[in-house]
């Protein structure tokens, strides 16, 4: 195994172009586990740790440009207001040591359906900035996951950053496991309210071959909220609406039985998480509305 250690982004792109099979490594929280257990033996490792810009972020007017190697601990500490769903997901990632090393770029590159960041990214809506010596392109998150541990990157491309829309409403994240962290998710669910567009987005992890959105559940809820005038009047969402949303979210799953849980349990748990996180986010939205009305 050869170890490539570029000193700049340009050198990294050139190395990836020359060696398309080279496996990028930054935090190493996924790659090194596979190598240590001899599940993977790449011909080349492409170390990106000398490239400082990958660990930087920029808060714009509408979105956050998050470098691929920004550690979860930094998201938790500095971007909780802009990216609340991702910050909550970051809390559940492994141990403090791994949260100080691992980043969203690695989660995306591995594309495991159990990756903790995926539900939050799907719910928030984002684009993955991929680059090669041929140029740069932005891949919508909905088109990024192409199969079990497969993504839309070309062999010569590297993930440079993720452009995530800043929260314009409450976001939540929930994960089922034998404990809160240091565990691979049995299943996970993310939800984000987008009051500016009067839409709700979701993300499901570890309950299908790829991370997925519960699109039928979203369509149902978006229609129900619009028809009932919920965005304007801030009424409590009825139990019937919450129950149907949960049922449709559960139906979006295509899970398997494995050592961590059965397919039946995963579907059930996703429905429970969908109902609960909807309740939490809507209460936050109603509370924010009452606060603004009181201030006026």
């Amino acid at each position: 195994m050869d170890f490539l250690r570029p000193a700049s982004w340009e050198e990294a792109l050139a190395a990836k172009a020359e060696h398309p099979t080279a496996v990028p490594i930054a935090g190493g929280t996924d790659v090194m586990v596979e190598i240590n257990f001899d599940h993977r033996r790449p011909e080349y490792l492409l170390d990106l740790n000398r490239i400082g810009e990958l660990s930087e972020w920029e808060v714009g007017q509408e979105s956050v440009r998050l470098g691929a190697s920004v550690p979860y601990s930094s998201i938790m500490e500095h971007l909780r207001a802009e990216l609340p769903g991702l910050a909550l997901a970051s809390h559940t990632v492994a141990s403090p040591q791994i949260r100080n090393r691992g980043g969203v770029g690695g989660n995306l590159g591995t594309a495991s359906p159990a990756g903790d960041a995926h539900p939050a990214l799907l719910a928030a809506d984002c684009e993955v900035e991929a680059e090669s010596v041929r140029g740069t392109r932005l891949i919508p998150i909905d088109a990024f996951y192409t199969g079990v541990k497969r993504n839309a990157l070309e062999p010569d491309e590297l993930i440079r950053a993720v452009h995530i829309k800043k929260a314009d409403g409450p976001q939540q994240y929930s994960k089922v496991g034998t404990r809160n962290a240091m565990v691979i998710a049995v299943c996970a669910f993310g939800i984000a309210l987008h009051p500016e567009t009067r839409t709700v987005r979701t993300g499901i992890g570890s309950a299908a071959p790829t991370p997925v959105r519960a699109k039928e559940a979203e369509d149902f809820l978006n229609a129900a909220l619009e028809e009932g005038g919920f965005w304007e009047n801030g009424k409590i969402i009825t139990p019937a609406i919450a129950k149907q949303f949960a049922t449709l979210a559960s139906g979006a799953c295509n899970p398997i039985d494995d050592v961590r849980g059965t397919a039946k349990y995963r579907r059930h748990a996703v429905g429970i998480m969908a109902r609960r996180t909807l309740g939490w986010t809507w209460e936050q939205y109603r509370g924010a509305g009452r606060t603004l009305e009181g201030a006026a």
Side-chain angles (χ1 to χ4, degrees), residues 186-226:
V186 176
C187 52
F189 189 85
I191 187 171
L193 305 188
H194 298 278
E196 290 182 1
T197 56
R198 293 185 176 181
T199 56
V200 177
R201 283 179 64 104
T202 61
I204 299 173
S206 203
T210 67
V212 295
R213 284 169 57 197
K215 292 187 179 180
E216 287 190 24
E218 293 174 14
D219 291 342
F220 163 77
L221 184 59
N222 290 335
L225 294 178
E226 190 65 31

Side-chain angles (χ1 to χ4, degrees), residues 40-285:
R40 192 176 193 179
R41 191 60 56 178
E43 186 178 2
Y44 299 97
L45 275 180
L46 181 60
D47 178 21
L48 302 177
N49 281 291
R50 297 173 70 188
I51 304 171
E53 67 176 86
L54 296 181
S55 298
E56 299 172 355
W57 66 88
E58 180 182 355
V59 179
Q61 187 170 352
E62 297 182 352
S63 64
V64 176
R65 185 182 183 275
L66 189 71
S69 297
V70 174
Y72 293 109
S73 56
S74 292
I75 296 170
M76 292 159 55
E77 182 178 358
H78 301 290
L79 295 170
R80 187 178 301 276
E82 294 83 1
L83 308 175
L86 187 57
L88 287 169
S90 299
H91 271 282
T92 75
V93 175
S95 64
Q97 295 90 336
I98 292 177
R99 290 194 288 272
N100 281 328
R101 290 291 300 167
V104 171
N107 240 195
L108 288 166
T110 304
S112 166
D116 291 316
H118 303 313
L121 294 175
L122 284 165
D125 196 10
C126 68
E127 294 179 313
V128 181
E129 182 181 334
E131 190 168 346
S132 70
V133 293
R134 296 176 289 107
T136 303
R137 64 182 179 127
L138 295 176
I139 307 171
I141 191 64
D142 289 334
F144 187 78
Y145 309 108
T146 60
V148 180
K149 294 191 175 182
R150 297 203 308 272
N151 58 47
L153 292 175
E154 296 294 336
D156 63 342
E157 286 183 319
L158 294 171
I159 297 173
R160 188 170 191 172
V162 187
H163 298 254
I164 310 171
K165 290 186 178 179
K166 290 168 62 177
D168 62 316
Q171 299 179 0
Q172 277 289 341
Y173 176 90
S174 186
K175 171 179 172 180
V176 172
T178 51
R179 51 189 174 184
N180 186 47
M182 285 299 291
V183 67
I184 299 174
V186 176
C187 52
F189 189 85
I191 187 171
L193 305 188
H194 298 278
E196 290 182 1
T197 56
R198 293 185 176 181
T199 56
V200 177
R201 283 179 64 104
T202 61
I204 299 173
S206 203
T210 67
V212 295
R213 284 169 57 197
K215 292 187 179 180
E216 287 190 24
E218 293 174 14
D219 291 342
F220 163 77
L221 184 59
N222 290 335
L225 294 178
E226 190 65 31
E227 291 169 7
F230 285 88
W231 291 108
E232 294 86 358
N233 57 40
K235 293 189 301 183
I236 296 175
I237 292 177
T238 65
I241 291 176
K243 181 179 179 180
Q244 182 63 7
F245 174 72
T247 298
L248 291 171
S250 178
C253 302
N254 182 22
I256 60 172
D257 296 334
D258 63 16
V259 294
R260 288 179 286 120
T262 65
K264 181 179 180 180
Y265 176 75
R266 284 185 164 97
R267 290 192 186 94
H268 173 74
V270 165
I272 297 295
M273 289 190 290
R275 178 174 55 79
R276 288 179 178 175
T277 55
L278 172 60
W280 297 337
T281 50
W282 194 253
E283 279 304 303
Q284 287 180 270
Y285 175 72

